[in-house]
Amino acid sequence: MENNKGFKISQYACAVLLITSSIALVAYQVVAIADVAAGLLYYVAQSFLLAGSIFGLDQYIRFITRHNSGPQES
């Protein structure tokens, strides 16, 4: 159980750092050249998609396990 908790913390930390890095890169590029390249926009979209998947999948699994662990009716 303790090992799983450390895994989840590192998983969430990676997701947050991914979002933070994409926002920082956009901010740097806007300040440096007053424009945002298309490739960087793809990176931002993919990082938000991955981070959302990490958080959303964990919530979905929690919901399913909580729902299935209740009393079963036939």
Side-chain angles (χ1 to χ4, degrees):
M1 182 71 179
E2 191 65 34
N3 189 18
N4 193 15
K5 185 178 179 182
F7 176 71
K8 286 188 179 193
I9 290 173
S10 66
Q11 192 177 19
Y12 292 153
C14 286
V16 169
L17 286 174
L18 186 62
I19 291 173
T20 306
S21 72
S22 66
I23 292 171
L25 284 171
V26 167
Y28 173 74
Q29 195 168 29
V30 166
V31 169
I33 63 172
D35 195 17
V36 180
L40 185 57
L41 290 177
Y42 286 126
Y43 175 74
V44 171
Q46 288 177 350
S47 65
F48 272 85
L49 183 65
L50 178 62
S53 297
I54 288 172
F55 287 116
L57 183 62
D58 187 55
Q59 286 297 106
Y60 181 72
I61 290 171
R62 270 194 217 147
F63 175 75
I64 294 298
T65 55
R66 189 179 317 133
H67 189 321
N68 288 341
S69 65
Q72 300 289 330
E73 294 183 21
S74 298

